[in-house]
Amino acid sequence: MRHCYYYLLLFLFATTSVYGQTVRRDLHDLQQDFVDLRFGMFIHFNMPTFAPEDWPDPDMPVSAFNPVRLDCGQWASTAKAANMSYGCLTTKHHSGFCIWDTKTTDYNSMNSPVRKDVVHEYVDAFRKAGLKVMLYYSILDTHHRLRPGYITRAKVDMVKAQLKELLTNYGDITALIIDGWDAPWSRISYDDVPFEEIYEYIKSIQPNCLVMDLNAAKYPREALFYTDIKSYEQGAGQRISTSENKLPALACLPLQRTWFWKESMPTDTLKDVDWIIRENVIPYNKAYCNFILNIAPNREGLMDANAVETMKRIGSQWKNDGRVATVPKAEMPIIQHNIAKFRPANSSWSYDMNIMDFANDDKFTTAWTSHRLVEHPFWEVTLDGPQSVNMVVITEDATDGAIQTYDIECLRDGVWTKVAEGRFTSRVAISRFPRTVAEAVRVNITSHTGFPAISEVGVYK
């Protein structure tokens, strides 16, 4: 009866907080609040905890998940000891096991020997300790075959159903960290699982939940491509520039040698406390970046003694004194489908093999390069029939930065009309203009130095 009463209260709370909010909070304010949290705990705890590797057999039996001493209160007290301000739990990792009471699949913790809703245990414990709650969710799901070549509308609907459960049954979620989506290694594009649809669906349930996709492996650091917060996985070689970053950001790293628990961890040498504080938390906070440190619970559901002791030592040397830096106001996130992607392209004379098709191949590591003898280069793309457009995003090649100014023209009924002009102040230039119908879009480079080179042009409606 007490259990039912809790969920009744939670439902009423969720109804009030979701349906009572008719207007989203300003995104910049949410980004500032996120950066001001400064330091939090990533908790990788899922089926890989019970496997020898972080990528287990996708058909590993439910019976393998059996944390006999599960204690999320211990996790929370460990985070508090380090003066962290929030936690983030892996609700579903790439192998598809759900550690909450989901109705979408039998592959979940309620059917395991422990028969517990781990997400419920986690959010209760962290809120009781005065900590904010975030959740991690993987789009890539090898158990349910949500991977390249197998994505159907039914599987997209399953993603939405799972997100609805996570965002309606557990109170306010500060942020949702999404993984395995439009990354070079997952190969699930934002078209296969439509980003804008999922993004707006999340916001329709919890308007003030930040949506973060771990996509820095692909997208440039100068703009918020498909994320509210720019996110860096340091262990994968993604490093934030503490001198140049101007976007609200997150950097993540494991305290132990891998994200999920392994048998050697109770006696492993963990990352140095002073290095964590002096080389990560402090400089990143000054650069508008929140730092999240992963601590992996063991197979019993507890954090190892050496990890607990390390967290206490961090807390004795570091305190969260509030805001370090005021986050500059950034351009709104790009969330729409790029209607220029893979469409027929044309340009003025290209240099060598770097022809026009490289500027809309959905790769930021290739580029169209103008020939040095062309004084006024252009690049254009033919759309799939007349399209309503109001934004163009141009990303220069990472090694050049030769374009100074440009203008944008749209073709309709055989007539080119200038709709915008702009100047490059970083690698990415975003031009917004009144909505217009276009059959083609052209970028005219009006001033430049050296070899103008464009990695990607995005056209959006």
Side-chain angles (χ1 to χ4, degrees), residues 101-117:
D101 186 7
T102 179
K103 302 301 183 286
T104 64
T105 175
D106 292 335
Y107 200 56
N108 69 72
S109 59
M110 299 301 292
N111 293 321
S112 75
V114 73
R115 299 189 65 82
K116 286 185 178 180
D117 183 331

Side-chain angles (χ1 to χ4, degrees), residues 409-420:
E409 293 181 306
C410 290
L411 177 68
R412 186 176 185 186
D413 297 330
V415 178
W416 287 100
T417 303
K418 186 167 80 170
V419 296

Side-chain angles (χ1 to χ4, degrees), residues 180-240:
W181 199 8
D182 209 27
W185 50 270
S186 73
R187 297 170 294 118
I188 299 174
S189 77
Y190 291 138
D191 300 322
D192 297 330
V193 177
F195 185 89
E196 184 176 11
E197 178 181 343
I198 301 298
Y199 181 92
E200 291 295 358
Y201 185 69
I202 292 168
K203 300 290 186 178
S204 73
I205 302 170
Q206 291 210 25
N208 296 321
C209 177
L210 289 165
V211 178
M212 291 185 279
D213 194 20
L214 295 173
N215 63 13
K218 175 177 177 178
Y219 290 94
R221 59 186 173 88
E222 291 84 359
L224 294 173
F225 286 94
Y226 305 99
T227 187
D228 288 334
I229 302 288
K230 198 69 183 174
S231 305
Y232 298 86
E233 186 179 336
Q234 292 172 265
Q238 301 161 22
R239 304 289 296 187
I240 186 170

Side-chain angles (χ1 to χ4, degrees), residues 9-20 167-172 205-206:
L9 288 177
L10 193 57
F11 172 77
L12 292 172
F13 170 76
T15 304
T16 302
S17 62
V18 173
Y19 297 108
L167 293 169
T168 56
N169 295 337
Y170 303 98
D172 282 342
I205 302 170
Q206 291 210 25

Side-chain angles (χ1 to χ4, degrees), residues 24 39 51 93 191 205 209 228 255 294 304 321 430 439 457:
R24 300 179 188 177
F39 187 31
H93 203 252
D191 300 322
I205 302 170
C209 177
D228 288 334
L255 174 67
N294 186 75
D304 291 330
D321 296 322
I430 300 176
E439 299 155 22
V457 176

Side-chain angles (χ1 to χ4, degrees), residues 8 61 102 146 308 342 417 419:
L8 175 61
T102 179
L146 207 159
V308 172
F342 305 135
T417 303
V419 296

